[in-house]
Amino acid sequence: MPRYDAPIRDMKFIFHDVLALQNYSNLDGFADATPDIVDQILETSGKFASEVLFPLNSVGDKQGCKRADDATVKTPDGFPDAYKQFVENGWPLLSKTPEMGGQGLPHALSIAVSEMMSAANMAFAMYPGLTSGAYEALMAGGSDDQKQIYGPKMATGEWAGTMNLTEPQCGTDLGLIKTKAIPQGDGSYKLTGQKIWISGGEQDLTENIIHLVLARIEGAPEGIKGISLFVVPKYFVNEDGSLGERNTVSCGGLEEKMGIHGNATCVMNYEDATGWLVGDEHKGMRTMFIMMNEARLGVGMQGLAQAEVAYQNAADFARERLQSRALSGPKAPEKPADPIIVHPDVRRMLMDTRAFIEGARMFSYWTALYGDLLHKSPDEKVREKAGDYMALMTPVVKAFLTDRGLKACNDALQLHGGTGFTKDQGVEQYVRDVRIALIYEGTNGIQALDLVGRKLAANGGRAIFTFFAELDDFIAENESDEELKPFIDALATAKGELQEATSWLMQNGMSDFNNAGAASMDYLELFGLTALGYMWAKMAKTALAKRGSDPFYDDKLVTARYYISRILPETSAHLAKLKTGAEPLMALEADRF
Ligand SMILES: Cc1cc2nc3c(=O)[nH]c(=O)nc-3n(C[C@H](O)[C@H](O)[C@H](O)COP(=O)(O)OP(=O)(O)OC[C@H]3O[C@@H](n4cnc5c(N)ncnc54)[C@H](O)[C@@H]3O)c2cc1C
């Protein structure tokens, strides 16, 4: 039977020992996040994830969602009840502001809770994940009225939120949006158009669904500069907060898809549906980006989360499955063969994944902490750095964690041999489910372009230079520590290569944009590897200091050494590839493919 055990020990290590949340008690809500409270939250949400959501994971996969002729959508058996418990337990309120009824706890903590929900049941976790993104966008860009009307019920999760960008002719290029909005003279607009692939567009989990929709106001400029954002509720909300009539937005069909069957992916038809502008006319992308950035960090976390559940089950299988003898002689002579965990190549798959997961978890929570600093720090300089880091790290978290998350799930399947390819152990579901994470919220290729095209250059490169300075400081502070030296040396090499790649891009990317495009994915990989190298060096430093008190720290050091010796050296290959520029990619004529 597959299992999911929430990795609480590792989460506690990051929050208490490495990030030391307790040192941020000057920030709103952090004083309440005492180690005891953090542990309690991790343990109870981990239990909910393993005991309630995980058993529904394969149910959701097998049953999928069903649309009836009246355009209602039924989620898989057990989902509505689990969602009810999710709301009653108050999980969505964890880091929401107290003004909206939230507990105001650190966002970094709610990221850990989301990780567990997503690992246990990615399709389920997407419903509240999108609601959270829609809520943040409304809080950032909505009017006071809109915040009051929709905020409290979206904060609790009683109402869901969706994001409606994609149309049949427009995915990556949102400038092609056709959905039109006609002003009614009373502050409202009538929206007409079709959106496709809308996650949670219709469902039976919540009494209302608040759609955030990108559309073009009649007469708006062409392209991305003419896009506005609207809030379009499924049911109108009366002045007393009760639900009124049904709006003319409905689900026209459900997509059949490769994975995440428990999440309803809907065609949404807007037929003179009434909506209200969020923010300014033609400035919709600005607010939508708030939602997209939040969602991108959440999607990166999906890669890590699926890798974790796949890893746990692969490790169990590797200890149980008996095949062949160890190359160094039998390890279980009383058995007909040794467990496959004795074979170095099987261990390669497990160690690659373990080193990725633990580094990626640290990277996700570290980045999420900058989200807290951005919103809560009283120090303007700290807020500036946090904003720079959030912008710089978001595409890396999204793309690096999902690319490697897919690899981890694929390795877990490979480790299972034929058992992995059949349905019994459930590991093939993780591969199918995680696959979408590389595509939605902007494909990973687009994340790489965002990194090299926008994020590096922003404010004269302030963010990347701050990051380099932080790495230099860390290296200088620790290079005389003999035990830490291997980690510091490895980090210094990777950082040097990232710096060289950055200079190459600055010199060659501006003169020929194809050079920047061709280098972008290698640059993102090089960045992700280096960022995880930094995370591993930080974790190794803490583990060395705590060694002896718990075997956990010895294991951490073993994994840290694996990362710097077997994964981090990939940086050199990425540097060499990116420096070849656009020519090898662009040489063949399009009709010769
Ligand atoms: C299950 C599922 C759920 C989804 N949920 C939502 C949702 O809730 N809301 C929503 O609005 N959308 C949603 N989407 C849509 C998703 O965000 C898009 O699929 C995604 O943005 C990519 O758009 P596309 O599929 O049209 O691909 P295209 O834009 O057609 O891209 C095709 C390929 O070309 C590449 N490409 C395109 N342009 C460039 C470029 N300039 N440079 C380099 N490469 C480029 C892409 O990287 C990709 O590999 C969902 C999709 C799926 C499948």
Side-chain angles (χ1 to χ4, degrees), residues 27 59 99 124 145 178 309 389 397 428 479 519 524 541 573 587:
L27 304 183
V59 177
E99 298 82 66
F124 177 94
D145 271 1
K178 281 190 187 156
V309 66
Y389 271 26
V397 171
E428 54 83 45
E479 62 192 349
L524 187 141
K541 182 176 176 169

Side-chain angles (χ1 to χ4, degrees), residues 224-393:
I224 207 82
K225 293 202 167 78
I227 305 289
S228 304
L229 180 65
F230 297 87
V231 56
V232 182
K234 174 178 167 184
Y235 287 101
F236 296 116
V237 183
N238 297 322
E239 285 209 347
D240 63 359
S242 62
L243 294 187
E245 280 180 30
R246 175 80 201 251
N247 205 347
T248 45
V249 48
S250 61
C251 169
L254 288 182
E255 297 299 339
E256 295 261 339
K257 27 185 221 292
M258 173 179 176
I260 54 163
H261 294 158
N263 195 270
T265 307
C266 305
V267 174
M268 297 302 292
N269 294 328
Y270 291 81
E271 294 161 311
D272 268 348
T274 302
W276 289 269
L277 190 63
V278 178
D280 296 331
E281 280 186 4
H282 318 318
K283 297 278 190 294
M285 288 311 296
R286 205 165 31 185
T287 312
M288 198 46 133
F289 264 120
I290 296 168
M291 176 164 189
M292 283 154 71
N293 279 337
E294 155 115 348
R296 282 172 182 175
L297 293 175
V299 171
M301 212 256 318
Q302 289 176 335
L304 151 67
Q306 291 302 294
E308 171 71 44
V309 66
Y311 167 77
Q312 289 185 15
N313 289 288
D316 288 354
F317 187 83
R319 277 188 293 261
E320 284 157 19
R321 174 72 172 162
L322 306 179
Q323 288 294 294
S324 319
R325 288 295 179 192
L327 294 170
S328 54
K331 291 285 179 291
E334 73 290 0
K335 294 183 178 161
D338 285 336
I340 59 171
I341 200 159
V342 302
H343 305 307
D345 190 56
V346 169
R347 282 173 166 260
R348 171 187 61 79
M349 293 185 265
L350 287 175
M351 288 304 294
D352 272 1
T353 302
R354 184 184 175 103
F356 158 67
I357 291 170
E358 294 180 14
R361 177 171 295 123
M362 173 71 199
F363 186 39
S364 294
Y365 298 2
W366 176 82
T367 306
L369 184 57
Y370 278 105
D372 282 306
L373 288 165
L374 173 64
H375 297 298
K376 295 181 173 177
S377 175
D379 184 333
E380 199 186 321
K381 271 285 175 213
V382 173
R383 287 201 306 276
E384 180 183 281
K385 177 181 172 186
D388 284 353
Y389 271 26
M390 288 297 283
L392 184 68
M393 304 300 165

Side-chain angles (χ1 to χ4, degrees), residues 84-273:
K84 193 160 166 272
Q85 290 183 53
F86 176 74
V87 170
E88 282 171 2
N89 290 345
W91 295 120
L93 287 169
L94 217 58
S95 58
K96 302 266 165 43
T97 59
E99 298 82 66
M100 287 289 151
Q103 296 175 39
L105 288 165
H107 176 59
L109 186 56
S110 66
I111 284 283
V113 171
S114 307
E115 182 201 315
M116 293 185 268
M117 308 281 171
S118 192
N121 194 328
M122 176 168 156
F124 177 94
M126 284 173 66
Y127 294 107
L130 280 153
T131 302
S132 178
Y135 166 88
E136 293 300 342
L138 269 179
M139 289 301 112
S143 65
D144 286 347
D145 271 1
Q146 288 167 348
K147 288 180 197 168
Q148 282 316 314
I149 295 169
Y150 305 111
K153 294 259 182 181
M154 289 176 81
T156 59
E158 287 164 275
W159 294 353
T162 68
M163 63 196 277
N164 291 240
L165 291 74
T166 310
E167 298 181 6
Q169 77 293 347
C170 108
T172 299
D173 186 355
L174 294 171
L176 301 173
I177 279 177
K178 281 190 187 156
T179 297
K180 68 170 192 269
I182 303 176
Q184 300 300 295
D186 61 354
S188 72
Y189 291 76
K190 292 280 187 201
L191 274 77
T192 301
Q194 188 178 65
K195 297 287 178 179
I196 60 166
W197 302 335
I198 304 308
S199 302
E202 183 57 79
Q203 32 80 356
D204 57 357
L205 307 177
T206 59
E207 56 183 8
N208 204 2
I209 305 176
I210 312 305
H211 303 289
L212 290 189
V213 185
L214 287 181
R216 194 181 290 285
I217 297 173
E218 258 192 334
E222 289 290 302
I224 207 82
K225 293 202 167 78
I227 305 289
S228 304
L229 180 65
F230 297 87
V231 56
V232 182
K234 174 178 167 184
Y235 287 101
F236 296 116
V237 183
N238 297 322
E239 285 209 347
D240 63 359
S242 62
L243 294 187
E245 280 180 30
R246 175 80 201 251
N247 205 347
T248 45
V249 48
S250 61
C251 169
L254 288 182
E255 297 299 339
E256 295 261 339
K257 27 185 221 292
M258 173 179 176
I260 54 163
H261 294 158
N263 195 270
T265 307
C266 305
V267 174
M268 297 302 292
N269 294 328
Y270 291 81
E271 294 161 311
D272 268 348

Side-chain angles (χ1 to χ4, degrees), residues 396-565:
V396 185
V397 171
K398 195 279 179 180
F400 189 73
L401 269 56
T402 55
D403 268 345
R404 302 260 163 168
L406 173 67
K407 178 186 177 300
C409 293
N410 214 14
D411 278 351
L413 188 151
Q414 182 72 13
L415 187 148
H416 279 79
T419 309
F421 195 70
T422 60
K423 295 244 170 197
D424 300 348
Q425 290 294 315
V427 68
E428 54 83 45
Q429 185 190 342
Y430 310 137
V431 179
R432 288 186 289 104
D433 282 357
V434 79
R435 188 63 187 81
I436 184 58
L438 287 73
I439 298 171
Y440 58 21
E441 288 310 331
T443 61
N444 285 1
I446 297 302
Q447 302 301 322
L449 283 180
D450 179 42
L451 177 65
V452 301
R454 282 201 206 105
K455 302 301 176 58
L456 283 188
N459 302 307
R462 193 174 66 200
I464 186 76
F465 291 129
T466 308
F467 184 52
F468 286 149
E470 178 171 338
L471 293 178
D472 285 340
D473 288 348
F474 183 84
I475 291 165
E477 270 165 36
N478 295 291
E479 62 192 349
S480 57
D481 180 330
E482 274 309 305
E483 283 195 300
L484 203 54
K485 197 166 178 345
F487 302 99
I488 299 301
D489 288 349
L491 176 61
T493 303
K495 185 248 158 187
E497 286 171 330
L498 183 61
Q499 203 156 17
E500 192 179 334
T502 310
S503 304
W504 186 92
L505 270 174
M506 286 174 177
Q507 281 158 21
N508 299 281
M510 295 302 282
S511 54
D512 178 352
F513 291 151
N514 272 343
N515 276 335
S520 59
M521 191 46 99
D522 283 301
Y523 184 83
L524 187 141
E525 289 273 333
L526 176 46
F527 197 122
L529 287 161
T530 308
L532 260 63
Y534 180 37
M535 299 298 119
W536 269 116
K538 277 173 163 300
M539 292 194 288
K541 182 176 176 169
T542 308
L544 281 168
K546 300 227 160 216
R547 198 175 28 168
S549 58
D550 181 339
F552 172 89
Y553 299 112
D554 299 315
D555 295 350
K556 192 57 90 179
L557 287 166
V558 169
T559 315
R561 285 187 195 105
Y562 184 90
Y563 183 83
I564 58 160
S565 57

